[in-house]
Amino acid sequence: MPHSPGGRRIRRAPARPLRGRTAVVTGAARGIGEALAHSLSHAGMRVALLGRERTALERTAESLPGPSMCVECDVSDRTALTEAARRVAAELGPADVVVANAGIAVSGPFDRTSGELWQRVIDVNLIGSANTARAFLPQLTATRGYFLQIASTAAFGAAPMMSAYCASKAGAESFALALRGEVEPDGVQVGIAYLHWTGTDMLTGIDDHPVLAALRRNQPGPARRVHSPAQVARWLTRGVTHRTPNIYAPPWLRWCQPLRPLFPALVARATRRELRNLPREESSPAEVLGAGGRADWNASRASRPAARRDR
């Protein structure tokens, strides 16, 4: 520790590596995205909020302590994201951190999920992440920045009744791993965040689904705990600060990585009885989970021609 001329020790202020830099968060209208926007703003970042719900985005942006902007856009729309990237660079400066957080989920049997709804989950969670990376990579290359892909423990072991969500999160993980190798020579780092049960509106009512409730009930006590979006955002912000390759929320999930080959069998065993006892005639059609997911689905349906909506 350095000393003053009089011999007294000088305490240096802790480094603030995020202060004054620009972050982009997709799916920022609510849930984890909203909480992360607050956490990054409190860390001193300028924050661009991207999402589908204009009113919620504006409300969140107004509540942030630092400079911010919001752009209503659909992450499955490449043209809209390209325009969003242009606006971010013009208004806040080129992105140093981009978080591909936008995601929706559908719960229900695969054969009772419309093809259009199943594909929408893939379009938002997987294609939307790739679109986000494509739109902002030029900026991240210029700033030697950090791209964070929000994944899930759904990539560890696929759960029945959640086929689209699990497929999209496994795909998003694989995409981020491939991208990591490609952009590392350019100084861009790619992180993957593995999230477990988080108290967003997507999780509300999940225990009403017998199969998903059984899956959660058969997990060890610590694994059943639901963490608040604010707590998850703090873990994510710590990972963003250190440009961490793999972020685990909660942190103990890192010890599950070596056990991943076992998870599909464990999930199947935990849900087998409920699946057998669920009469086909009583199984409900698929439903979109959470207010954010329903807002995206309704907006997507409204923007498509009637002939396609009727399929």
Side-chain angles (χ1 to χ4, degrees), residues 5-279:
R8 297 179 64 182
R9 291 184 176 182
I10 301 173
R11 293 184 177 275
R12 294 190 185 277
R16 299 291 299 275
L18 301 183
R19 180 170 295 279
R21 299 181 183 274
T22 298
V24 176
V25 181
T26 67
R30 59 179 68 243
I32 294 168
E34 178 186 3
L36 182 57
H38 275 278
S39 184
L40 293 176
S41 184
H42 280 282
M45 299 197 79
R46 302 184 293 265
V47 183
L49 302 91
L50 276 58
R52 292 285 259 175
E53 301 169 83
R54 180 184 296 277
T55 301
L57 287 171
E58 292 175 346
R59 183 171 58 248
T60 299
E62 291 170 359
S63 69
L64 299 182
S68 66
M69 63 174 291
C70 54
V71 183
E72 183 182 14
C73 69
D74 176 1
V75 294
S76 71
D77 184 337
R78 292 194 302 274
T79 301
L81 273 174
T82 298
E83 173 60 17
R86 185 198 65 77
R87 286 187 54 189
V88 169
E91 298 182 32
L92 296 181
D96 300 276
V97 173
V98 174
V99 183
N101 167 73
I104 62 173
V106 171
S107 173
F110 173 75
D111 62 0
R112 301 200 67 181
T113 306
S114 73
E116 185 182 15
L117 179 54
W118 202 94
Q119 182 174 330
R120 182 62 191 167
V121 178
I122 304 299
D123 286 345
V124 173
N125 299 5
L126 174 55
I127 307 302
S129 293
N131 289 344
T132 301
R134 188 181 301 279
F136 285 96
L137 264 181
Q139 296 180 34
L140 291 175
T141 300
T143 61
R144 300 178 72 84
Y146 178 72
F147 178 82
L148 178 60
Q149 174 64 60
I150 301 299
S152 166
T153 50
F156 288 12
M161 304 292 179
M162 297 285 287
S163 62
Y165 183 77
C166 294
S168 69
K169 288 301 184 180
E173 178 195 32
S174 293
F175 163 69
L177 288 170
L179 183 66
R180 179 183 290 171
E182 294 181 22
V183 300
E184 187 177 24
D186 298 323
V188 179
Q189 292 179 277
V190 175
I192 304 172
Y194 297 96
L195 277 52
H196 201 43
W197 303 111
T198 306
T200 65
D201 61 5
M202 187 185 293
L203 192 64
T204 302
I206 201 166
D207 285 340
D208 294 334
H209 299 266
V211 176
L212 299 179
L215 177 62
R216 187 156 169 258
R217 185 173 62 248
N218 281 278
Q219 293 177 341
R224 293 196 298 270
R225 183 178 177 185
V226 176
H227 299 277
S228 71
Q231 175 61 75
V232 171
R234 287 192 290 271
W235 285 322
L236 294 176
T237 300
R238 186 185 311 157
V240 169
T241 301
H242 297 287
R243 298 164 68 92
T244 306
N246 297 314
I247 303 172
Y248 298 94
W252 58 260
L253 281 174
R254 72 179 63 253
W255 305 113
C256 294
Q257 281 282 21
L259 303 176
R260 285 181 63 165
L262 302 176
F263 287 166
L266 293 174
V267 169
R269 180 178 179 180
T271 59
R272 185 177 296 122
R273 183 173 62 183
E274 279 69 21
L275 285 168
R276 288 175 175 171
N277 293 338
L278 188 66

